[in-house]
Amino acid sequence: MESSDKVVETVIVGNYVEMETDGKPSDLKSKVSKLFWHGGSAYDAWFSCASNQVAQVLLTLPYSFSQLGMMSGVAFQLFYGLMGSWTAYIISVLYVEYRTRKEREKADFRTHVIQWFEVLDGLLGKHWRNVGLAFNCTFLLFGSVIQLIACASNIYYINDNLDKRTWTYIFGACCATTVFIPSFHNYRIWSFLGLVMTTYTSWYLTIASLLHGQVEGVKHSGPSKLVLYFTGATNILYTFGGHAVTVEIMHAMWKPQKFKAIYLWATVYVLTLTLPSASAVYWAFGDLLLNHSNAFSLLPRSPFKDMAVILMLIHQFITFGFACTPLYFVWEKAIGMHECKSMCKRAAARLPVVVPIWFLAIVFPFFGPINSTVGSLLVSFTVYIIPALAHVFTFRSAAARENAVEQPSKYFGKWVGTYVINIFVVVWVLIVGFGFGGWASMINFIHQIDTFGLFTKCYQCPPQLPPHMANATAPIPSPMANVTHLPPRHHAL
C-alpha cells in the first residue's frame, strides 16, 4: 500500500482485480463531499438503478394499460421486469470479464470510465463495438429527448401560460447544466432524491385515482386493436430496459462484482410503484387514457398534483443527466478530452451534445408514442438482444467457459441454462419487441405526425374555445384533433 493524500489499494478477489479508494476524509469539506456527492457503494448503485428505471415512463404506463388491458399490462410488467434484470446481470458478467482481462494487462482505469462499446470491443472486436456504439448512443440520445418532452408536458399542467414547445426551449437550457456533473460517482444525493420523487408521484397517482373514483360511463375495452396492443407492450419493454447505463454505474462502484443482483432488487422495488399506479389510473379513467398519454392530464388540479408535477420535473432533470452522461463520455473520448482534469474545459466540450437533443425534442414532441418507438427499435437491441448474443459469443468456446471469471450459477442451469435463456431473450425480443412492436409503434408514430405535424406547438393540449363560445354548451373536441395553436383551458372532469 502506498501512502499519499489518497491511498489506493489494489485488491485481488479471485481472478478479479479492483482498485478501491481507501482512507478517511481529512476535513469537513471532504466529509460532506463523501456523504452527499462521491458515492460508489452497492447502495449507491441500487439507488441509481431504481431511480433511473422509471421517470416520465411512470406517467405513460396507465396509457399502456389502456392499450393492453389490465391483465396483459400486469403480466408484461412482471415478464419484462425479469427479462430486464437478466440482461443487466449478463452485462455485469461481461463487464467483469473485460475489466479483469485488462487489469491483468496492467490497465489503469482511475481516470478512464469503461463503457459498453469498449467491453464489446475488448471481448468480441471492432464490429461488435461499432454496432453496440451506434445502438447505445442513439438510444441514449432519444432517451434524453424523451426527458425534455416530459418536462414540457408536465409543467404545462400547472402553468399553461406558455405552450409545450416554449417550455421545451426553457428546459433544454436548464438540462444543459448537467455538463458540469463529472461522472456517476457524483449522483449519490440525486439518485436518493430521485427515488423519493418517483415514490411520491406513484402513490399520488394511486391514491388520487382511487379517491377520484371511476368516471361516469367508464369503459375498459383494451385490448381492442393489435396495433395498440403491441404499442403498449413495447412501452413496457422500454420501461424495464433502462440499463443502457449499467456499465457506467458499475464502473462507479468501488466493488463492481457486487452488482450482480442489484438491478433485480431495484426492479422489485420499481414494481411496487408501477403496478399500483398504472392499475389505479386505468381503473378510474379506462379508455379515456387512449387519448391522454400523460396520466397527469386526467387528474384534477390540487396541491398534491402540483407537488407531484414539480418533483417529476426535478427528477427528469436527474434522468436527463443519467442518459446524457454516457454520451458526454463518448464525445470526450472522440475529441481527446476524457482524461482532462479541468471540469470547466470538459463541460464546455460537452455542450455540443445537448444541441441535437434539444432540436429533436422540438421536432417530435409525442409524449407516450415516442417511448414505444424507441423501445421497439432501439431498446430491443441495445438492452436485450446485443448483451444476450454477446454473452453467447464471448463464451462459445470450451476454453473461454473454463477460464471465465464469473461462472453461471447452478440456479440458472450453469452454461446450458444460461445459453437457453439468452437465446430465448433474443428470439422473443426480436419477434415480439422489434418485429410486432416496431410495426405497431411506427404506425402509431406516423399517425401522430399526420395528426399533429412536426414541430407541433402544443401536443395533445385541450382546445381553447373562442370568447363568444366560452359559455356555450358544446361537446369538447377529441384530444386527438390538431389543436395546437392557442393556449388551453382546463376542463374539469
Side-chain angles (χ1 to χ4, degrees), residues 184-471:
F184 284 96
H185 275 303
N186 311 114
Y187 275 97
R188 167 173 280 185
I189 187 64
W190 293 116
S191 296
F192 173 76
L193 292 176
L195 195 58
V196 172
M197 294 167 189
T198 52
T199 300
Y200 173 89
T201 303
S202 169
W203 288 108
Y204 158 74
L205 292 173
T206 304
I207 295 169
S209 298
L210 294 175
L211 292 177
H212 181 281
Q214 292 184 312
V215 295
E216 185 177 352
V218 65
K219 292 182 180 178
H220 299 88
S221 57
S224 57
K225 297 179 181 178
L226 277 179
V227 170
L228 295 179
Y229 188 83
F230 285 109
T231 301
T234 50
N235 185 41
I236 297 178
L237 182 81
Y238 170 84
T239 302
F240 294 97
H243 45 285
V245 295
T246 298
V247 170
E248 289 83 0
I249 292 173
M250 284 187 69
H251 191 81
M253 295 175 67
W254 305 132
K255 298 180 180 179
Q257 76 273 26
K258 289 186 176 181
F259 185 85
K260 295 177 191 175
I262 284 176
Y263 197 88
L264 175 62
W265 292 117
T267 299
V268 169
Y269 181 79
V270 165
L271 286 170
T272 68
L273 306 181
T274 57
L275 288 173
S277 60
S279 302
V281 177
Y282 179 53
W283 169 81
F285 298 103
D287 290 354
L288 285 176
L289 286 159
L290 289 170
N291 292 330
H292 293 80
S293 52
N294 189 331
F296 280 147
S297 64
L298 289 172
L299 289 164
R301 181 80 180 268
S302 72
F304 297 105
K305 177 180 176 178
D306 290 352
M307 177 61 72
V309 171
I310 292 167
L311 291 179
M312 289 306 291
L313 287 173
I314 300 171
H315 188 272
Q316 272 137 15
F317 167 83
I318 299 168
T319 309
F320 181 92
F322 261 93
C324 243
T325 300
L327 292 176
Y328 295 152
F329 292 156
V330 173
W331 178 248
E332 287 172 358
K333 292 171 184 177
I335 63 174
M337 291 287 290
H338 184 57
E339 297 187 7
C340 175
K341 294 183 179 180
S342 171
M343 194 57 235
C344 290
K345 290 181 181 178
R346 289 176 64 193
R350 290 173 170 187
L351 281 173
V353 177
V354 180
V355 176
I357 295 170
W358 208 350
F359 176 75
L360 289 170
I362 296 165
V363 178
F364 304 114
F366 310 130
F367 187 79
I370 194 172
N371 292 25
S372 301
T373 307
V374 170
S376 61
L377 302 182
L378 298 173
V379 174
S380 56
F381 282 94
T382 303
V383 173
Y384 297 96
I385 295 174
I386 292 176
L389 282 179
H391 189 273
V392 169
F393 281 92
T394 298
F395 299 106
R396 64 185 180 276
S397 68
R401 292 193 294 273
E402 184 179 349
N403 296 319
V405 177
E406 296 281 351
Q407 294 290 330
S409 170
K410 63 181 180 180
Y411 299 110
F412 302 141
K414 296 195 173 181
W415 286 107
V416 173
T418 301
Y419 267 64
V420 169
I421 297 172
N422 281 333
I423 296 302
F424 171 78
V425 169
V426 171
V427 172
W428 177 275
V429 176
L430 194 61
I431 296 174
V432 178
F434 177 72
F436 289 108
W439 161 74
S441 298
M442 286 306 298
I443 288 177
N444 190 26
F445 195 78
I446 292 168
H447 172 68
Q448 306 304 312
I449 296 175
D450 291 341
T451 305
F452 296 96
L454 302 178
F455 298 97
T456 185
K457 196 172 184 181
C458 208
Y459 176 68
Q460 284 190 340
C461 295
Q464 167 75 39
L465 296 178
H468 67 280
M469 296 178 62
N471 297 320

Side-chain angles (χ1 to χ4, degrees), residues 47-233:
F47 278 115
S48 293
C49 290
S51 66
N52 186 48
Q53 195 172 121
V54 288
Q56 50 72 35
V57 77
L58 190 67
L59 307 175
T60 64
L61 285 174
Y63 167 65
S64 297
F65 269 48
S66 69
Q67 297 170 318
L68 289 164
M70 186 75 79
M71 294 300 295
S72 290
V74 172
F76 270 115
Q77 282 204 38
L78 295 173
F79 177 64
Y80 283 136
L82 284 173
M83 189 180 288
S85 299
W86 171 258
T87 50
Y89 163 73
I90 290 298
I91 290 172
S92 73
V93 169
L94 294 172
Y95 169 86
V96 169
E97 185 71 26
Y98 168 76
R99 182 164 171 176
T100 302
R101 292 183 187 183
K102 297 299 289 185
E103 288 187 343
R104 285 172 180 165
E105 300 169 4
K106 307 302 181 184
D108 188 343
F109 295 112
R110 279 174 290 185
T111 58
H112 182 94
V113 177
I114 298 173
Q115 294 188 267
W116 175 231
F117 70 92
E118 293 170 316
V119 174
L120 291 174
D121 187 19
L123 297 177
L124 294 167
K126 65 178 182 178
H127 296 302
W128 282 82
R129 175 200 65 195
N130 294 339
V131 171
L133 182 62
F135 273 105
N136 207 46
C137 287
T138 309
F139 166 47
L140 291 170
L141 178 75
F142 277 96
S144 304
V145 167
I146 289 170
Q147 301 311 315
L148 277 189
I149 295 171
C151 285
S153 180
N154 289 343
I155 189 65
Y156 184 79
Y157 294 113
I158 60 174
N159 187 334
D160 57 16
N161 293 323
L162 300 176
D163 58 76
K164 292 181 181 179
R165 190 171 67 193
T166 304
W167 281 120
T168 304
Y169 293 138
I170 295 170
F171 279 101
C174 294
C175 288
T177 58
T178 57
V179 296
F180 290 99
I181 299 177
S183 73
F184 284 96
H185 275 303
N186 311 114
Y187 275 97
R188 167 173 280 185
I189 187 64
W190 293 116
S191 296
F192 173 76
L193 292 176
L195 195 58
V196 172
M197 294 167 189
T198 52
T199 300
Y200 173 89
T201 303
S202 169
W203 288 108
Y204 158 74
L205 292 173
T206 304
I207 295 169
S209 298
L210 294 175
L211 292 177
H212 181 281
Q214 292 184 312
V215 295
E216 185 177 352
V218 65
K219 292 182 180 178
H220 299 88
S221 57
S224 57
K225 297 179 181 178
L226 277 179
V227 170
L228 295 179
Y229 188 83
F230 285 109
T231 301

Side-chain angles (χ1 to χ4, degrees), residues 30-48:
S30 298
K31 290 179 180 178
V32 171
S33 175
K34 186 175 178 61
L35 179 63
F36 293 106
W37 183 251
H38 195 65
S41 68
Y43 297 104
D44 290 308
W46 183 85
F47 278 115
S48 293

